[in-house]
């Protein structure tokens, strides 16, 4: 017979799940849990400075490793602060578990101090959520939370635990099994055969890889499919890393900031094989004109994704790796010289244009030089905005889980804490966070968390003293009426970082920015690297929001 | 949410009855109703009672059939507290027999 408090039980159940690091912030309603956590010699607590930071630290751990990560927050403002990180995890299918404190059961619904309806608020943002009504229920709920987070299409789970449930004593005979992902669903072999037939008959196929390929460990299979049938391949923002960018069949990212040839090739394709991708509007542009002549083969583990945006001619609900394993032997090798030559002609005529890539003082040059300085094991996190799109275009992401970015929710403030999480989960690896001044300001307090943990994180702030992507849209699509996107005060980021105890390198204050960059990236521990950029630098090409992907605005069009 | 059908256009839409078996706890109605609410999909009628020993409840929903219905059914099936979703024609007895209670 084991007798524990609810709080001790949570800690032991987390230990049994293999959790070794949790991020979080204590407060009144989760102090019993923190008291129990302080007694654990197996779980290390990482103190964030904002609950959203804690949530993104957990996301960084989960995205870099693929295993479920946990973060803690107190009731009320702790819980509301956690919500953005949960919403972000929902849209990008990241397995994290948030354990919040709640006011005691008897006070729920009385507008008690730091009481909010955490359960109610988190319903639309989580894959599932629980309000724990007794300590004994934790024996079921904690493993169940881990099972749900990791099963099928992964996602965030919230467990709200009233303070008196944390203090309640529970006795039990046997420990529950740790929760683990369900076996993936059986899929329809006949549909796989139809998909094979569709691909084998295709004259101009394109393979479209999403984050599901990365999460599903299916990158090798996807590359083999492309190589077997000689299929030009594109990736979503979340799918980057599924195929190396220098692979001859890679067309890079599709959509709003793709190379023009990629979007034009998609327009001509007759069969589109979508694997672990969800036809997001940033990828498809105006959806009625996306791959207008293509039959769609859609493989996804979430059946609600099939026929959601584009009707699938062949839809397969299943684990993308298992489906590709079954599909591969049925695929005929096709030389398809005409189609490959057509794609190459498009590539030659409409290549990805990256002006300034040889100059470290430009956005592309900075990204390319950074890639030369770090080894292939480095993990790249980004914030959200122009720097994110430049990095998506220019950074050679070569392997799955190398690229951590907020795709679906587009959360500014994601990058720094996610990078810290990756550094905690993958000690010994270099972590580079490309950020912008606007994004960094949204979770800048986590600089001190990086210092406290001595996380091997290099934050490269591309500083144009503006909300660059907003500035760009106002410049291009709102009659150059720049409003509320230029900052009036220029923050001294190096001084701020030093105030947090972090080393800095200012590429704007040296004659040898490449040398300083290399030196800063090579040194162990955290460092903020300040890189001033021109506010008029733009991310090109660009599909205007709502337009079809063929209608891209490019450098030359604007200059001329 | 309303049972009333005061507009001819609304009542002209074909309807469907959905039968859900769900875990019986205080958050389930929020999960189900919230799903329809946040997708701006009106639920025309709703009934819920516990079944068997009370660990599960049955929810009956009367909804208009529009192009999003298949997606709504899939999304409903993804809710972890929803065990089964069945689709019936609008002529199903459950709401027909209730009509007497909803006359003005």
């Amino acid at each position: 017979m084991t007798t524990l408090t609810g709080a001790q039980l949570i800690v032991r159940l987390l230990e049994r799940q293999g959790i070794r690091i949790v991020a979080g912030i204590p407060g009144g309603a989760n102090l019993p849990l923190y008291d129990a956590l302080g007694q654990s010699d197996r779980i290390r607590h990482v103190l964030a400075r904002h609950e959203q930071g804690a949530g993104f630290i957990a996301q960084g751990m989960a995205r870099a490793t693929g295993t479920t990560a946990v973060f803690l927050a107190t009731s009320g403002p702790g819980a509301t602060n956690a919500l953005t990180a949960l919403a972000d995890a929902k849209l990008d299918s990241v397995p994290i578990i948030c354990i919040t404190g709640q006011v005691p059961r008897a006070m729920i619904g009385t507008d008690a101090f730091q009481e909010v309806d955490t359960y109610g608020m988190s319903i639309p943002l989580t894959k599932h959520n629980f309000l724990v009504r007794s300590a004994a229920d934790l024996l079921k709920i904690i493993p169940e939370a881990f099972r749900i987070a990791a099963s099928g299409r992964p996602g965030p789970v919230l467990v709200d635990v009233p303070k008196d449930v944390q203090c309640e004593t529970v006795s039990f005979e046997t420990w529950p099994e740790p929760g683990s992902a369900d076996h993936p669903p059986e899929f329809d072999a006949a549909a796989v055969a139809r998909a094979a037939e569709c691909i084998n008959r295709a004259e101009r196929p394109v393979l479209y890889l999403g984050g599901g390929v990365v999460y599903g460990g299916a990158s090798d299979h996807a590359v083999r499919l492309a190589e077997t049938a000689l299929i030009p391949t594109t990736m979503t923002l979340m799918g980057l890393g599924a195929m190396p960018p220098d692979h001859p069949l890679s067309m890079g990212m599709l959509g709003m900031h793709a190379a023009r040839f990629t979007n034009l090739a998609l327009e001509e394709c007759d069969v589109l094989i979508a694997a672990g991708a969800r036809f997001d509007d940033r990828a498809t542009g105006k959806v009625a004109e996306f791959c207008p002549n293509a039959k769609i083969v859609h493989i996804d583990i979430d059946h609600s994704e099939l026929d959601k945006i584009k009707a699938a001619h062949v839809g397969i609900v299943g684990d993308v790796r298992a489906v590709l394993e079954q599909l591969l032997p049925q695929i005929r090798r096709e030389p398809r010289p005409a189609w490959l030559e057509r794609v190459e002609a498009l590539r030659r005529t409409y290549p990805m244009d990256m002006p300034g890539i040889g100059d470290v003082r430009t956005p592309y040059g900075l990204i390319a030089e950074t890639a030369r300085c770090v080894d292939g094991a480095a993990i790249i996190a980004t914030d959200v905005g122009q720097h994110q799109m430049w990095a998506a275009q220019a950074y050679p992401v070569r392997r799955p889980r190398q690229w951590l970015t907020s795709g679906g929710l587009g959360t500014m403030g994601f990058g720094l804490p996610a990078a810290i999480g990756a550094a905690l989960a993958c000690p010994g690896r270099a972590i580079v966070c490309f950020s912008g001044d606007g994004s960094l300001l949204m979770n800048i307090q986590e600089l001190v968390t990086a210092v406290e943990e001595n996380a091997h994180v290099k934050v490269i702030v591309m500083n144009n003293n503006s909300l660059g992507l907003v500035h760009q849209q106002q410049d291009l699509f709102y009659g150059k009426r720049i409003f509320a996107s230029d900052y009036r005060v220029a923050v001294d980021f190096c001084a701020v970082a030093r105030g947090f105890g972090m080393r800095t390198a200012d590429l704007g204050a040296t004659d040898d920015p490449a040398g300083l960059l290399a030196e800063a990236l090579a040194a162990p521990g955290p460092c903020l690297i300040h890189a001033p950029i021109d506010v008029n630098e733009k991310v090109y090409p660009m599909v205007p929001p709502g337009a079809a992907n063929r209608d891209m605005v490019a450098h030359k069009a604007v200059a001329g | 949410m309303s049972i009333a059908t005061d507009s001819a256009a609304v009542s002209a839409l074909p309807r469907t009855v959905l039968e859900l078996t769900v875990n019986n706890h205080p958050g389930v109605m929020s999960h189900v109703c919230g799903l329809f609410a946040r997708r701006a999909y009106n639920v025309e009628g709703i009934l819920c009672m516990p079944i068997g020993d009370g660990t599960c409840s049955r929810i009956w929903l009367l909804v208009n059939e529009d192009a999003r219905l298949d997606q709504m059914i899939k999304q409903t099936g993804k809710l972890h507290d929803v065990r089964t979703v069945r689709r019936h024609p609008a002529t199903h007895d459950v709401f027909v027999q209730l009509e007497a209670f909803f006359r003005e």
Side-chain angles (χ1 to χ4, degrees):
Chain A
M1 178 81 84
T2 309
T3 301
L4 295 169
T5 66
Q8 291 167 331
L9 181 54
I10 291 171
V11 172
R12 292 290 301 279
L13 289 169
L14 294 181
E15 289 173 352
R16 291 170 59 87
Q17 287 288 155
I19 295 298
R20 294 296 172 264
I21 300 173
V22 299
I25 303 186
N30 68 358
L31 273 175
L33 178 58
Y34 265 81
D35 195 38
L37 185 61
Q39 313 301 312
S40 171
D41 51 12
R42 305 183 75 181
I43 301 181
R44 169 177 161 209
H45 178 257
V46 172
L47 179 63
R49 298 307 197 267
H50 187 291
E51 288 82 357
Q52 190 188 112
F56 284 136
I57 289 172
Q59 275 214 35
M61 294 193 280
R63 287 181 190 242
T65 63
T67 53
T68 303
V70 175
F71 74 109
L72 310 176
T74 191
S75 64
T80 56
N81 284 346
L83 294 179
T84 300
L86 291 171
D88 189 281
K90 177 87 184 305
L91 278 174
D92 283 350
S93 309
V94 181
I96 56 171
I97 293 173
C98 176
I99 302 176
T100 45
Q102 181 54 279
V103 301
R105 281 171 291 188
M107 295 172 77
I108 289 179
T110 66
D111 298 329
F113 178 63
Q114 293 192 331
E115 182 192 358
V116 293
D117 176 13
T118 305
Y119 180 87
M121 286 191 310
S122 57
I123 287 174
L125 311 177
T126 53
K127 189 172 176 190
H128 194 53
N129 61 357
F130 298 91
L131 173 55
V132 184
R133 290 161 207 286
S134 77
D137 287 352
L138 290 163
L139 290 163
K140 258 175 66 180
I141 287 175
I142 298 292
E144 181 72 352
F146 277 87
R147 183 187 71 80
I148 292 170
S151 294
R153 179 179 185 172
V157 177
L158 178 131
V159 184
D160 196 28
V161 192
K163 190 174 182 181
D164 61 321
V165 171
Q166 297 170 42
C167 298
E168 188 187 0
T169 310
V170 57
S171 298
F172 55 95
E173 294 291 345
T174 50
W175 285 96
E177 282 299 306
S180 59
D182 294 337
H183 289 294
E186 297 290 322
F187 53 87
D188 180 1
V192 177
R194 284 200 303 279
E197 193 185 328
C198 190
I199 296 165
N200 287 335
R201 284 187 180 172
E203 290 179 3
R204 299 180 306 280
V206 168
L207 186 54
Y208 156 46
L209 307 178
V213 172
V214 171
Y215 293 164
S219 306
D220 291 347
H221 298 75
V223 171
R224 226 181 303 149
L225 171 61
E227 289 171 347
T228 303
L230 291 176
I231 308 175
T233 300
T234 186
M235 287 160 280
T236 68
L237 181 66
M238 297 302 295
L240 292 178
M243 176 184 269
D246 47 6
H247 191 288
L249 290 166
S250 172
M251 301 194 292
M253 185 171 70
L254 80 162
M256 184 174 268
H257 295 292
R260 189 182 285 248
F261 82 88
T262 309
N263 285 342
L264 292 175
L266 279 157
E267 183 156 308
E268 293 182 18
C269 81
D270 67 348
V271 171
L272 181 72
I273 307 132
R278 61 183 176 84
F279 294 86
D280 173 76
D281 53 276
R282 289 301 194 260
T284 63
K286 190 176 185 180
V287 81
E289 293 174 41
F290 178 67
C291 300
N293 307 312
K295 286 188 171 176
I296 310 269
V297 175
H298 195 177
I299 307 164
D300 204 288
I301 199 153
D302 179 354
H303 73 152
S304 70
E305 288 301 342
L306 301 187
D307 304 327
K308 185 181 84 173
I309 305 290
K310 286 284 261 187
H313 296 79
V314 183
I316 304 170
V317 179
D319 173 68
V320 64
R321 186 162 99 173
V323 171
L324 290 178
E325 263 169 16
Q326 194 175 105
L327 179 67
L328 272 165
Q330 304 177 48
I331 297 298
R332 271 202 315 269
R333 187 168 180 85
E334 283 292 336
R336 49 181 113 256
W339 176 230
L340 292 179
E341 179 40 46
R342 173 66 184 151
V343 171
E344 282 317 298
L346 286 169
R347 190 195 296 264
R348 283 192 301 272
T349 315
Y350 305 103
M352 176 55 82
D353 189 14
M354 293 193 272
I357 196 157
D359 176 1
V360 72
R361 291 185 193 272
T362 71
Y364 289 125
L366 177 65
I367 291 160
E369 188 60 30
T370 301
R372 271 193 291 276
C373 290
V374 297
D375 63 29
I379 293 172
I380 309 305
T382 79
D383 256 305
V384 169
Q386 285 183 314
H387 68 274
Q388 177 191 30
M389 291 299 115
W390 284 319
Q393 292 172 333
Y395 198 94
V397 183
R398 295 187 181 284
R399 52 186 173 75
R401 300 196 181 281
Q402 185 184 10
W403 171 252
L404 315 181
T405 200
S406 171
L409 196 66
T411 313
M412 294 171 66
F414 169 91
L416 169 59
I420 295 170
L424 294 166
C426 307
R429 289 202 187 187
I431 318 292
V432 175
C433 170
F434 288 106
S435 187
D437 53 307
S439 282
L440 185 61
L441 282 169
M442 293 212 182
N443 269 322
I444 197 163
Q445 74 287 343
E446 304 306 333
L447 285 175
V448 69
T449 310
V451 171
E452 206 160 77
E453 298 298 323
N454 195 29
H456 197 32
V457 169
K458 306 296 185 285
V459 184
I460 301 179
V461 196
M462 298 169 73
N463 183 4
N464 54 11
N465 203 36
S466 124
L467 292 164
L469 212 42
V470 174
H471 190 283
Q472 170 167 341
Q473 289 213 33
Q474 290 176 336
D475 202 5
L476 294 179
F477 310 126
Y478 290 85
K480 299 188 187 298
R481 292 182 298 279
I482 306 300
F483 176 65
S485 59
D486 268 339
Y487 295 125
R488 285 182 289 164
V489 171
V491 173
D492 182 345
F493 282 95
C494 289
V496 170
R498 282 195 299 274
F500 283 120
M502 188 178 281
R503 278 187 308 111
T504 63
D506 190 349
L507 304 188
T510 172
D511 294 336
D512 179 17
L516 185 59
L517 175 68
E519 191 186 310
L521 289 169
C527 182
L528 181 135
I529 299 167
H530 180 246
I533 58 164
D534 184 337
V535 71
N536 292 311
E537 291 277 7
K538 291 190 172 53
V539 185
Y540 286 130
M542 178 175 196
V543 179
N549 277 350
R550 87 175 75 81
D551 298 323
M552 301 192 87
V553 182
H555 294 272
K556 284 168 200 155
V558 170
Chain B
M1 202 182 304
S2 80
I3 295 276
T5 54
D6 49 5
S7 120
V10 170
S11 60
L13 279 174
R15 288 187 164 171
T16 291
V17 169
L18 300 180
E19 177 189 2
L20 280 55
T21 308
V22 301
N23 295 328
N24 179 13
H25 70 77
V28 174
M29 288 293 275
S30 275
H31 272 276
V32 173
C33 295
L35 175 67
F36 283 80
R38 66 180 171 264
R39 289 164 183 260
Y41 201 111
N42 203 41
V43 176
E44 301 293 322
I46 185 163
L47 282 170
C48 180
M49 291 279 278
I51 52 174
D53 64 0
T55 54
C56 285
S57 293
R58 178 141 306 137
I59 298 177
W60 293 93
L61 301 174
L62 180 66
V63 296
N64 289 326
E65 270 187 44
D66 75 22
R68 300 171 297 162
L69 183 59
D70 284 341
Q71 179 64 210
M72 290 309 302
I73 292 172
K74 287 177 180 173
Q75 293 292 343
T76 306
K78 278 170 69 173
L79 296 175
H80 284 269
D81 280 326
V82 174
R83 298 181 168 209
T84 59
V85 184
R86 290 173 64 195
R87 186 173 173 171
H88 303 281
T91 50
H92 192 280
D93 280 352
V94 64
F95 286 104
V96 172
Q97 290 179 4
L98 272 174
E99 275 173 12
F101 295 95
F102 290 92
R103 292 201 185 110
E104 282 187 312

